């Protein structure tokens, strides 16, 4: 199994109005092999403070075992070389039998403690499976990652607002 880049996304929802759209989109992305949900934890606190916790992964048991094995091998390699990679692979595969559970019950209660009534939060650990061939092509060409990040449309709006304020200040600076 080749593991694509993995991303942790933390989401918040004020006055959530869930109808299954988010889950449906994650399943659609999984169906076309773009993104796989390794683990997800969603916590909802209704207006009266009642708590609902939901977990999600769209990995099959075989995929969970294989992912656990790969992650265990990589961690083991870093900790103890080749021998650690073998031991880590075995341990990771065993842990993956019951699914990959990155977020614990303790994490759920930490989120609940910070969550106001009538809101929700979600922790998503997703693998960008679509990026595997691109990453491999970059590596084959001798390239490597220097950094990465996501830019949201709201970041572009903020950049425009900053640019506007700088443009507005130009005549005042020019007069000095």
């Amino acid at each position: 199994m080749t593991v694509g880049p993995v991303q942790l996304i933390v989401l918040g929802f004020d006055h959530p109005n869930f109808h299954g759209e988010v889950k449906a989109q994650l399943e659609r992305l999984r169906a076309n092999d773009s993104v796989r949900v390794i683990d997800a934890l969603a916590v909802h606190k209704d207006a009266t403070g009642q708590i609902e916790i939901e977990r999600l992964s769209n990995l099959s048991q075989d995929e969970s075992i294989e992912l656990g094995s790969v992650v265990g091998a990589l961690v083991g390699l870093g900790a103890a070389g080749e021998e650690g990679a073998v031991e880590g692979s075995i341990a990771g595969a065993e842990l993956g039998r019951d699914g990959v559970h990155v977020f614990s019950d303790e994490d759920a209660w930490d989120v609940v403690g910070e969550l106001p009534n009538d809101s929700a939060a979600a922790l998503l650990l997703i693998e960008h499976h679509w990026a595997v061939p691109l990453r491999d092509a970059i590596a084959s060409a001798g390239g490597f990652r220097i950094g990465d990040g996501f830019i949201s449309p709201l970041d572009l709006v903020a950049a425009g607002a900053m640019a506007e304020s700088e443009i507005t200040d130009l005549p005042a600076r020019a007069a000095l």
Side-chain angles (χ1 to χ4, degrees):
M1 166 187 255
T2 303
V3 178
V6 175
Q7 179 183 19
L8 172 64
I9 303 172
V10 181
L11 303 170
F13 301 87
D14 287 327
H15 315 292
N17 186 16
F18 297 122
H19 296 289
E21 301 95 337
V22 175
K23 231 193 244 186
Q25 282 303 310
L26 290 171
E27 289 300 329
R28 184 187 64 77
L29 291 168
R30 169 64 176 154
N32 69 24
D33 210 25
S34 296
V35 169
R36 296 193 288 195
V37 178
I38 295 171
D39 196 14
L41 174 69
V43 179
H44 176 241
K45 192 185 283 188
D46 72 14
T48 65
Q50 292 293 321
I51 298 166
E52 184 180 335
I53 297 173
E54 186 175 349
R55 297 178 181 280
L56 172 72
S57 173
N58 57 22
L59 298 179
S60 69
Q61 183 182 32
D62 287 345
E63 289 170 325
S64 292
I65 291 169
E66 200 169 357
L67 179 65
S69 176
V70 169
V71 170
L74 292 171
V75 172
L77 180 65
E82 286 184 36
E83 187 175 311
V86 171
E87 290 175 19
S89 175
I90 293 167
E94 188 59 37
L95 288 172
R97 285 194 198 294
D98 295 326
V100 178
H101 303 290
V102 177
F103 306 119
S104 67
D105 288 342
E106 188 175 295
D107 292 326
W109 292 113
D110 286 347
V111 171
V112 167
E114 300 292 321
L115 204 58
N117 287 0
D118 199 21
S119 64
L123 305 170
L124 296 170
L125 190 63
I126 61 171
E127 175 197 11
H128 292 278
H129 203 248
W130 62 268
V132 171
L134 175 61
R135 180 201 56 210
D136 293 348
I138 291 167
S140 179
F144 52 92
R145 181 178 52 139
I146 294 175
D148 58 52
F150 283 85
I151 298 172
S152 83
L154 295 176
D155 295 329
L156 298 175
V157 171
M162 282 179 31
E164 174 63 22
S165 69
E166 289 175 4
I167 291 169
T168 303
D169 289 345
L170 281 178
R173 287 189 213 154
L176 295 175

